[in-house]
């Protein structure tokens, strides 16, 4: 093969090994050099590429009409926004605090909330407060919705007993009453259980206390059938660091003799428990243990022993065949409805895990409950000091494709102060035809009072129905102040418009909404580009005040590679009767996509008899016949991109698009033919 500089350029053929030389079609002198004004060399012809290709612009659009895919799939994060019904987004529920109405002070955590409808004084919400050892600081609180009052219903004198749990259970005589547990260890989410305790009973409006027992910490109940075939409900308590206690059939839980105490579990420290069907699942720092009716306690999550953290097993919740449990790295789950099978592949399922979500609300799970088929998960970020409440459901149930076992929404409730959520419960009491998510929270690193109250949550997952029917649901106002849901903001995923490495220049934004929107009830739309992680700065801010459709062209130009967009819901009448809020159905953003211009280059080449090379030689003495060259060029149009190189050794990746306008001249010579052809080539990259 001739030296490289013999030809204007060479092409690597489709076989991937053979180089074929070609000459640009242009007049040449007898010495083989181009005549004055002749066509450019190959390097000159693609100089634009060498100097960074000329840029082209095209208008592209991103349209989003649904948010049901949740965090990291349909949007980045949506603090204070409801997205659990397909097709729209709107503000989540408003919060109401009740603790401020309580007489007296006890600045200690609230570990348990229960709804009890059997009290002779009427239905109420009951809350346990752990206490600090001072007189009347460990107490049971009673909230009456009819009068909107919270009061101390039962308290302990000075000493070393602290309230830990609440449960509704049979008193041994066929009457459901409310039981409270206390132990000699004050409650905190990760604290070890106490070893000495008491049971407390509310019956007929009167509280009584049992004789001393082993520790009575977290409580639950379960239905067991023993080996003799006798089925009965049992009250179960953690009664020591590695032991549990449970009642015998037909027991009076106030009688220490009706308890079987000190049942050993092979755990270093037990922290929580949850029950389903005939199983009690115990959360320990080294595993999740299944206590069944045979007294067996297999460990479903032994991997926790190698992932030591005080958060391991601190919170557990059974839901839809799985036990969900807190860990030092977030939230995991293990399937428990298929018998005692050890989970060899732990199921990490924290909000945002396995998705593109990037936000400040990740953290440790501090409380869980369920709401109409959804798992409700409270998290605490120790860095940002913010709590969040997420709603999650199995991806197979909701039909969303994600690596995370759960599809998460929200967080529907976000804290704006340093409150850690310690207990949650969904209740209808006081909500009319609606629902309330009760929250108990405690200020981290502070001696301030705890927070107790509720957030309005929708029935059957359709809060928009309450707008239509003037229902009881109330919406966050987006005022910017308050302990919970001060703002309701839908952060869309950072958008690349199909080409993340090309620059975008934002053009217009269109919105389909339901209102009525106005200068006060509105959506505020913000944009930015290439924001650093954790940045709180936005470049543009414009209001959407007209429904059902409005377009916005921001005054400031936003351009970059990674486009951020945020929509805030501002609803001063979100808590009015009836409420007025903005509903987002769809958003469209158009942008100019700035890309390298890879428009086809046209190269005219010639080969065959009489075609001089750069040194005045002739190709036919060294190369293939013209028909073979033509076929090679045609073959390249059907092959993957190839490599071309010029006389100076510069190389490019190129795709041959077409070989056309061939002109054949017959004559004397070795091959009897000279061919001129036009080649259309995409220059893809410089090498």
């Amino acid at each position: 093969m001739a030296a490289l500089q013999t030809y204007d350029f060479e092409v690597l053929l489709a076989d991937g090994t053979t180089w074929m030389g070609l000459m640009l079609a242009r007049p040449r002198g007898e010495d083989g050099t181009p005549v004055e004004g002749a066509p450019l060399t190959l390097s000159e012809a693609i100089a634009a590429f060498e100097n960074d290709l000329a840029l082209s612009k095209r208008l592209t659009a991103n349209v989003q009409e649904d948010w049901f895919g949740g965090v990291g799939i349909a949007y980045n994060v949506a603090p204070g926004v409801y997205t659990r019904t397909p097709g729209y987004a709107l503000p989540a529920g408003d919060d109401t605090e009740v603790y401020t109405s309580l007489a007296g002070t006890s600045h200690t955590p609230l570990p348990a909330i229960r709804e009890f409808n059997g009290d002779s004084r009427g239905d109420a919400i009951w809350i346990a407060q752990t206490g600090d050892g001072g007189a009347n600081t460990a107490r049971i609180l009673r909230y009456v919705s009819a009068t909107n009052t919270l009061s101390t219903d039962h308290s302990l004198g000075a000493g070393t007993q602290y309230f830990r749990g609440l449960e509704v259970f049979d008193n041994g005589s066929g009457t459901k009453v409310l039981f409270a547990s206390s132990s000699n260890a004050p409650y905190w989410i990760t604290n070890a259980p106490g070893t000495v305790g008491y049971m407390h009973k509310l019956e007929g409006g009167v509280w009584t206390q049992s004789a001393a027992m082993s520790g009575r910490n977290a409580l639950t109940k379960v239905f067991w059938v023993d080996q003799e075939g006798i089925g009965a409900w049992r009250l179960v308590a953690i009664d020591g660091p590695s032991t549990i206690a449970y009642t015998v059939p037909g027991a009076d839980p106030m009688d220490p003799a009706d308890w079987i105490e000190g049942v050993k579990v092979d755990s270093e420290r037990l922290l929580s428990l949850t029950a389903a069907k005939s199983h009690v699942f115990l959360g320990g720092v080294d595993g999740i243990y299944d206590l069944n009716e045979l007294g067996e306690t297999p460990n479903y999550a032994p991997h926790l022993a190698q992932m030591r953290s005080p958060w391991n097993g601190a919170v557990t919740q059974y839901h839809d065949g799985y036990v969900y449990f807190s860990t030092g790295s977030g939230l995991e789950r293990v399937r428990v409805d298929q018998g005692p099978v050890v989970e060899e592949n732990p199921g990490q399922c924290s909000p945002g895990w396995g998705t593109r979500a990037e936000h400040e609300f990740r953290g440790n799970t501090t409380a869980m409950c369920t709401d109409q088929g959804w798992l409700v998960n409270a998290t605490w970020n120790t860095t940002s000091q913010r709590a969040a409440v997420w709603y999650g459901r199995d991806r197979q149930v909701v039909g969303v494709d994600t690596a995370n076992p759960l599809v998460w929404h929200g967080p529907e409730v976000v804290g704006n102060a340093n409150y850690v959520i310690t207990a949650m419960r969904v209740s209808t009491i006081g909500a009319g035809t609606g629902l309330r998510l009760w929250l108990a929270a405690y200020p981290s690193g502070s001696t301030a009072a705890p927070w107790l109250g509720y957030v309005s949550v929708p029935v059957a997952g359709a809060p928009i129905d309450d707008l239509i029917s003037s229902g009881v649901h109330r919406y966050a106002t987006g005022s910017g102040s308050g302990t919970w849901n001060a703002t309701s903001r839908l952060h869309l995923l950072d958008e690349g418009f199909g080409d993340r490495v090309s620059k975008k220049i934002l053009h217009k934004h269109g919105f389909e909404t339901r209102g009525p929107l106005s200068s006060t009830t509105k959506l505020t739309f913000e944009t930015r580009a290439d924001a650093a992680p954790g940045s709180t700065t936005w470049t543009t801010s414009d209001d959407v005040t007209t429904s059902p459709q409005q377009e916005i062209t921001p005054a400031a130009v936003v351009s970059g590679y990674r486009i951020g967009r945020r929509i805030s819901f501002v609803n001063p009448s979100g808590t009015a009767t009836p409420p007025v809020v903005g509903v987002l159905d769809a958003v469209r953003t158009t942008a100019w996509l700035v890309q390298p211009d890879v428009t086809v280059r046209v190269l005219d080449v010639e080969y065959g008899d009489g075609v001089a090379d750069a040194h005045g030689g002739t190709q036919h003495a060294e190369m293939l016949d013209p028909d073979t060259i033509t076929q090679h060029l045609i073959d390249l149009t059907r092959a993957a991109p190839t490599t071309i190189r010029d006389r100076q050794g510069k190389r490019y990746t190129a795709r041959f698009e077409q070989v056309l306008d061939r002109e054949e001249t017959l004559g004397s010579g070795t091959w009897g033919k000279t061919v001129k052809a036009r080649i259309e080539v995409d220059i893809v990259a410089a090498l």
Side-chain angles (χ1 to χ4, degrees):
M1 181 174 172
L4 177 62
Q5 55 266 42
T6 299
Y7 305 99
D8 284 338
F9 67 98
E10 290 183 312
V11 181
L12 184 62
L13 297 183
D15 62 11
T17 58
T18 305
W19 291 89
M20 182 177 73
L22 289 169
M23 299 298 293
L24 294 171
R26 59 183 181 264
R28 290 177 176 273
E30 292 183 359
D31 62 356
T33 59
V35 298
E36 187 75 21
L40 301 175
T41 65
L42 178 67
S43 295
E44 292 169 332
I46 58 176
F49 185 88
E50 285 290 279
N51 293 288
D52 196 5
L53 282 175
L55 298 179
S56 64
K57 293 182 182 179
R58 63 182 178 89
L59 195 62
T60 186
N62 174 273
V63 180
Q64 187 161 351
E65 301 174 327
D66 190 52
W67 326 98
F68 191 62
V71 175
I73 303 297
Y75 51 83
N76 183 31
V77 68
V81 178
Y82 176 91
T83 58
R84 286 186 284 129
T85 300
Y88 61 82
L90 78 170
D94 186 56
D95 69 291
T96 300
E97 184 175 10
V98 302
Y99 193 86
T100 54
S101 66
L102 180 65
T105 58
S106 177
H107 295 174
T108 57
L110 308 167
I113 303 173
R114 286 294 183 274
E115 174 182 323
F116 178 49
N117 304 322
D119 184 43
S120 59
R121 295 166 292 175
D123 299 346
I125 299 292
W126 303 84
I127 306 98
Q129 188 161 29
T130 186
D132 59 14
N136 302 318
T137 60
R139 54 191 179 179
I140 304 299
L141 309 177
R142 176 175 176 257
Y143 172 76
V144 180
S145 63
T147 56
N148 191 32
T149 56
L150 182 72
S151 60
T152 298
D153 207 58
H154 177 51
S155 62
L156 304 180
T160 58
Q161 283 293 300
Y162 309 89
F163 280 119
R164 300 293 298 260
L166 292 170
E167 191 60 79
V168 177
F169 197 75
D170 193 285
N171 65 354
S173 302
T175 301
K176 293 289 191 298
V177 298
L178 180 65
F179 287 95
S181 59
S182 67
S183 77
N184 61 338
Y187 167 81
W188 184 241
I189 302 167
T190 58
N191 278 6
T195 56
V196 177
Y198 296 84
M199 292 299 297
H200 309 259
K201 179 180 69 173
L202 171 65
E203 184 173 0
V206 177
W207 283 93
T208 56
Q209 178 176 305
S210 72
M213 306 179 180
S214 58
R216 291 298 181 266
N217 300 281
L219 292 176
T220 191
K221 57 187 176 184
V222 65
F223 188 85
W224 279 337
V225 178
D226 62 21
Q227 293 178 338
E228 298 178 356
I230 299 174
W233 284 96
R234 315 291 188 97
L235 193 60
V236 183
I238 296 175
D239 75 338
S242 303
T243 57
I244 60 101
Y246 55 86
T247 57
V248 299
D252 175 6
M254 298 294 286
D255 186 351
D258 282 353
W259 286 84
I260 298 175
E261 299 181 331
V263 179
K264 181 68 176 175
V265 178
D266 189 23
S267 173
E268 179 181 320
R269 187 172 72 206
L270 299 173
L271 296 172
S272 65
L273 75 178
T274 185
K277 302 176 182 178
S278 59
H279 297 259
V280 175
F281 302 99
L282 304 160
V285 295
D286 44 14
I288 302 300
Y289 299 86
D290 174 9
L291 174 63
N292 60 30
E293 53 201 354
L294 301 178
E296 302 166 330
T297 56
N299 186 354
Y300 278 2
H303 66 279
L304 293 185
Q306 283 75 50
M307 300 171 56
R308 302 307 294 269
S309 168
W311 289 98
N312 287 353
V315 184
T316 51
Q317 177 68 50
Y318 175 86
H319 179 60
D320 197 20
Y322 291 87
V323 168
Y324 293 83
F325 55 96
S326 61
T327 70
S329 58
L331 183 70
E332 295 187 19
R333 73 174 187 175
V334 58
R335 189 160 191 171
V336 297
D337 62 352
Q338 297 180 333
V341 179
V342 172
E343 179 66 61
E344 301 293 352
N345 184 20
Q348 174 62 247
C349 56
S350 296
W353 179 88
T355 72
R356 291 171 52 195
E358 299 177 9
H359 52 76
E360 63 175 306
F361 299 104
R362 298 188 184 193
N364 297 108
T365 290
T366 62
M368 284 188 281
C369 69
T370 60
D371 175 15
Q372 303 170 92
W374 293 84
L375 178 70
V376 187
N377 174 29
T379 60
W380 167 252
N381 187 310
T382 57
T383 301
S384 66
Q385 299 281 288
R386 298 190 72 181
V389 178
W390 311 79
Y391 274 71
R393 203 157 193 178
D394 192 284
R395 60 189 174 189
Q396 295 181 346
V397 174
V398 295
V400 175
D401 185 14
T402 171
N404 196 313
L406 295 185
V407 174
W408 291 100
H409 288 259
E412 290 188 20
V413 183
V414 288
N416 305 294
N418 61 334
Y419 282 104
V420 182
I421 296 173
T422 56
M424 297 188 295
R425 194 82 171 185
V426 175
S427 174
T428 59
I429 290 181
T433 58
L435 288 172
R436 292 173 175 176
L437 173 63
W438 280 83
L439 303 176
Y442 188 72
S444 173
S446 170
T447 58
W451 192 96
L452 176 66
Y454 56 84
V455 173
S456 185
V457 295
V459 174
I464 204 166
D465 292 346
D466 290 271
L467 287 176
I468 298 170
S469 61
S470 300
V472 298
H473 190 76
R474 293 297 175 262
Y475 303 82
T477 63
S479 65
S481 62
T483 304
W484 306 96
N485 286 356
T487 57
S488 298
R489 288 173 170 164
L490 177 63
H491 296 248
L492 304 185
L493 288 167
D494 283 355
E495 181 58 51
F497 290 85
D499 185 351
R500 299 184 69 85
V501 297
S502 290
K503 189 174 184 179
K504 275 70 68 175
I505 303 173
L506 295 190
H507 177 235
K508 286 186 178 182
H509 312 279
F511 303 86
E512 182 196 354
T513 59
R514 282 175 272 180
L517 298 185
S518 65
S519 60
T520 54
T521 299
K522 61 187 179 180
L523 278 59
T524 299
F525 180 69
E526 298 166 283
T527 65
R528 64 185 181 185
D530 304 329
S535 172
T536 59
T537 301
W538 293 82
T539 305
T540 69
S541 178
D542 296 274
D543 290 340
V544 180
T545 59
T546 303
S547 58
Q549 195 275 341
Q550 181 177 337
E551 287 199 350
I552 289 174
T553 303
V557 176
V558 172
S559 64
Y561 297 87
R562 193 178 67 256
I563 302 300
R565 295 171 294 166
R566 181 172 76 176
I567 301 166
S568 299
F569 297 81
V570 181
N571 316 279
S573 299
T575 58
T577 303
V580 179
V581 301
V583 179
L584 176 65
D585 289 320
V587 58
R588 181 192 67 237
T589 293
T590 54
W592 292 106
L593 195 62
V594 183
Q595 297 175 306
D597 184 4
V598 291
T599 302
V600 172
R601 263 67 173 175
V602 176
L603 302 176
D604 291 324
V605 299
E606 55 185 357
Y607 44 89
D609 290 329
V611 177
D613 62 24
H615 298 295
T618 55
Q619 284 185 308
H620 70 262
E622 301 170 319
M623 288 295 293
L624 303 172
D625 68 89
D627 291 339
T628 301
I629 294 174
T630 297
Q631 189 59 51
H632 280 313
L633 293 175
I634 293 173
D635 290 344
L636 285 169
T637 66
R638 304 173 184 139
T642 187
T643 302
I644 61 176
R645 60 187 181 186
D646 70 4
R647 279 187 284 156
Q648 287 74 41
K650 294 180 180 179
R651 298 184 178 220
Y652 309 89
T653 298
R655 180 185 294 277
F656 279 63
E657 299 288 351
Q658 295 187 81
V659 179
L660 40 82
D661 294 340
R662 291 194 305 277
E663 178 184 324
E664 297 185 357
T665 303
L666 300 179
S668 59
T670 303
W671 308 110
K673 181 188 296 186
T674 301
V675 179
K676 290 183 179 180
R678 176 161 291 177
I679 306 170
E680 292 186 350
V681 181
D682 282 344
I683 303 298
V684 178
L687 302 177

